[in-house]
């Protein structure tokens, strides 16, 4: 039965009002229907898939490249040598030992230097030196010699007398050896001033002192003076000396005195005592240690020979 025109128009109107999403869903449902005919490819076997994977890897690997240089494979001997030495080689071990030994020597030297400096500072006292100080004497030429003449270089001072039977000659022999060793250690420079001060001014005239000291070393400076001057300088240097009482002119006698060498720095301050237990080598080592400390601090030091 034929539809009338109004019915047909209403049918078309309802169809036009159906949303497009509904058609889209319907199309998806139809495509997913089990009854829909699709052309499917046959799945490949596993061995074929592995072959294709290897081929793909080979093709892609040929396109990659590296900028690192070619390194040949290590031999068995190289691998064994590497494992036998471990992470440290003999060169590294030697460098470690040398560095450690150098640090030990340096710290020992610094410790000894600071100890010498502390002793020297303690010997200066507060306001007044404990050892040394101003004095006035005369040299073998009759010229005045004071504490100011000791400045400029290290002074090595000894107190004794020419009529001493054994101790003074032994100590002056040691003093002569120390003078030569210090000069040799200083490269021939005159960095030390050796001084002999008599404790017996009544018999040790300039002529007697000159002849006596010449037998030991020509660089030794002899000093004498009046009894009061000698007593004053001995008190300043803490030197004990004693002469017998009621001595008649021309009578022989002995003078009891301290047996020390006094090392004074270029500023006239006491720094060290050298006793009978010291040898020329050990005394030279002590003296050169103080001289090197002085140089290291950048202080001036005279090296010209004394007139």
């Amino acid at each position: 039965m034929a539809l009338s025109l109004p019915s047909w128009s209403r049918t078309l109107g309802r169809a036009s009002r159906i949303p497009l999403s509904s058609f889209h869903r319907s199309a998806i449902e139809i495509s997913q229907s089990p009854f829909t005919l699709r052309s499917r490819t046959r799945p490949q076997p596993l061995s074929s898939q592995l072959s294709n994977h290897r081929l793909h890897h080979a093709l892609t690997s040929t396109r990659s490249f590296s900028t690192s240089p070619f390194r040949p494979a290590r031999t068995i001997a190289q691998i064994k040598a590497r494992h036998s030495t471990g992470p440290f080689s003999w060169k590294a071990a030697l460098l470690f030992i040398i560095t450690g030994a150098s640090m030990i020597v340096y710290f020992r030297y610094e410790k000894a230097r600071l100890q010498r400096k502390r002793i020297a500072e303690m010997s200066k006292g507060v306001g007044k030196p404990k050892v040394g100080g101003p004095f006035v004497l005369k040299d073998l030429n009759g010229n005045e010699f004071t504490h100011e003449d000791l400045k400029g270089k290290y002074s090595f001072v000894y107190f004794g007398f020419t009529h001493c039977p054994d101790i003074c000659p032994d100590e002056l022999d040691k003093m002569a050896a120390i003078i030569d060793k210090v000069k040799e250690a200083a490269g021939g420079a005159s960095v030390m001033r050796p001084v002999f001060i008599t404790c017996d001014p009544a018999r040790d005239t300039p002529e007697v002192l000159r002849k006596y000291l010449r037998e030991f070393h020509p660089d030794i400076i002899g000093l004498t003076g009046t009894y009061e001057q000698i007593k004053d300088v001995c008190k300043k240097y803490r030197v004990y000396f004693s002469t017998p009482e009621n001595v008649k002119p021309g009578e022989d006698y002995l003078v009891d005195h301290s047996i020390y060498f006094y090392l004074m720095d270029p500023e006239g301050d006491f720094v060290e005592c050298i006793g009978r237990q010291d040898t020329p080598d050990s005394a030279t080592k002590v003296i050169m240690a103080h001289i090197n400390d002085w140089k290291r601090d950048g202080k001036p030091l005279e090296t010209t020979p004394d007139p």
Side-chain angles (χ1 to χ4, degrees), residues 65-270:
F65 59 92
S66 176
T67 58
S68 60
F70 174 74
R71 296 180 179 177
R74 295 181 178 177
T75 62
I76 299 299
Q78 291 175 342
I79 295 174
K80 289 183 178 180
R82 174 64 177 174
H83 288 285
S84 63
T85 57
F88 296 101
S89 63
W90 66 270
K91 293 182 179 179
L94 182 61
L95 180 61
F96 177 78
I97 293 173
I98 293 175
T99 304
S102 301
M103 292 180 65
I104 292 174
V105 171
Y106 173 76
F107 284 121
R108 286 182 177 177
Y109 171 79
E110 282 297 312
K111 182 180 179 180
R113 186 181 69 85
L114 292 176
Q115 186 176 4
R116 290 192 299 269
K117 187 175 181 180
R118 183 170 60 254
I119 293 174
E121 291 295 332
M122 292 173 59
S123 301
K124 292 180 181 180
V126 180
K128 181 179 180 181
K130 293 184 178 180
V131 178
F135 65 87
V136 178
L137 296 173
K138 287 187 177 182
D139 62 15
L140 302 184
N141 296 321
N143 299 320
E144 187 177 84
F145 191 101
T146 70
H147 61 284
E148 294 293 334
D149 295 309
L150 293 181
K151 297 182 179 180
K153 61 175 66 175
Y154 276 84
S155 299
F156 200 50
V157 184
Y158 181 75
F159 292 82
F161 65 108
T162 61
H163 289 75
C164 182
D166 48 13
I167 295 177
C168 288
D170 291 342
E171 293 301 292
L172 287 175
D173 282 334
K174 183 166 68 176
M175 186 179 193
I178 294 172
I179 294 170
D180 293 334
K181 287 181 176 294
V182 168
K183 185 176 293 186
E184 180 182 359
S190 178
V191 294
M192 187 179 71
R193 180 182 293 110
V195 177
F196 178 90
I197 300 177
T198 181
C199 295
D200 186 18
R203 292 181 295 181
D204 290 343
T205 62
E207 293 75 14
V208 173
L209 273 178
R210 183 181 292 107
K211 182 180 179 180
Y212 180 75
L213 296 176
R214 192 182 298 123
E215 298 178 359
F216 298 98
H217 202 284
D219 292 347
I220 300 177
I221 300 173
L223 299 179
T224 186
T226 65
Y227 180 83
E228 292 299 326
Q229 289 175 333
I230 296 299
K231 183 179 179 179
D232 178 68
V233 70
C234 286
K235 183 178 179 180
K236 297 287 180 58
Y237 278 80
R238 305 297 188 266
V239 175
Y240 165 79
F241 85 104
S242 175
T243 57
E245 298 180 357
N246 303 320
V247 177
K248 298 179 181 180
E251 184 179 356
D252 193 16
Y253 58 89
L254 296 177
V255 178
D256 190 16
H257 64 90
S258 303
I259 306 170
Y260 287 105
F261 292 97
Y262 298 87
L263 182 65
M264 315 297 289
D265 69 16
E267 293 179 351
D269 294 321
F270 168 78

Side-chain angles (χ1 to χ4, degrees), residues 28-38 40:
I28 293 175
E29 291 173 358
I30 294 173
S31 64
Q32 293 179 353
S33 175
F35 300 100
T36 304
L37 298 179
R38 295 181 181 177
R40 299 178 181 271

Side-chain angles (χ1 to χ4, degrees), residues 271-286:
V271 292
E272 193 83 27
C273 260
I274 305 295
R276 298 194 65 186
Q277 73 280 0
D278 292 294
T279 64
D281 290 332
S282 65
T284 300
K285 184 178 179 180
V286 171

